[in-house]
Amino acid sequence: MKKTLFLAVAMLASGTVSAATDHYLLRDGNHVQHLKITTLGKEITASVDVDFEPNVDEAGKNACSADVSDEAKSVGENELVLKKHIEGEARSCSIKIHLTPNGAKLEQSEECGYFAAGICRFSSDGKELVKIK
């Protein structure tokens, strides 16, 4: 009985994969961008969500909220790409994530306007989302 229990626990422990989740945040006036990267073994998932309220210089614009999430691919040292397929089309939104020691910068493809319209955008416009520790 003890051998069986030990074997079951050993198999369970050997199958355990380390998981890590990092959060990044940028608040720019009334614009808030959040990035979450989860690594589970070799699998990486990322999600980006934005909530934009018009700033003073954006009078007449409407508030908006958007998010995308999917599997991310590592394309270089400290660089990931999150691609989200646009349903019913042959195109996809692509967000490049450039990781730095203290945060991340985001660049979106033109197709991401399908998910984030108006003043909403996933790009951080060269500003760094700060890693939350």
Side-chain angles (χ1 to χ4, degrees):
M1 177 74 173
K2 287 182 183 180
K3 287 182 182 179
T4 305
L5 182 59
F6 177 74
L7 183 59
V9 170
M11 287 177 62
L12 200 69
S14 68
T16 304
V17 178
S18 64
T21 300
D22 293 316
H23 292 269
Y24 303 83
L25 188 68
L26 174 63
R27 183 176 193 99
D28 185 19
N30 294 329
H31 299 182
V32 178
Q33 294 173 285
H34 173 245
L35 167 66
K36 180 174 98 173
I37 300 173
T38 302
T39 306
L40 182 61
K42 292 183 179 182
E43 184 178 311
I44 302 170
T45 56
S47 67
V48 181
D49 60 271
V50 295
D51 291 301
F52 282 26
E53 291 285 334
N55 287 322
V56 175
D57 60 336
E58 297 169 325
K61 304 284 183 168
N62 295 322
C64 59
S65 215
D67 64 89
V68 293
S69 62
D70 213 330
E71 186 176 342
K73 303 280 186 201
S74 178
V75 294
E77 190 173 332
N78 300 321
E79 190 170 330
L80 303 172
V81 174
L82 164 66
K83 283 193 175 184
K84 182 68 175 181
H85 179 74
I86 299 172
E87 196 170 318
E89 297 193 27
R91 300 179 298 154
S92 51
C93 166
S94 179
I95 301 174
K96 290 182 184 177
I97 303 167
H98 304 280
L99 299 172
T100 66
N102 299 317
K105 293 181 181 180
L106 307 176
E107 293 177 42
Q108 74 179 40
S109 66
E110 185 178 320
E111 290 82 6
C112 291
Y114 176 85
F115 296 104
I119 60 172
C120 270
R121 64 187 173 282
F122 299 114
S123 288
S124 61
D125 297 330
K127 298 176 184 170
E128 188 170 66
L129 284 76
V130 178
K131 186 174 184 177
I132 300 170
K133 298 180 183 186

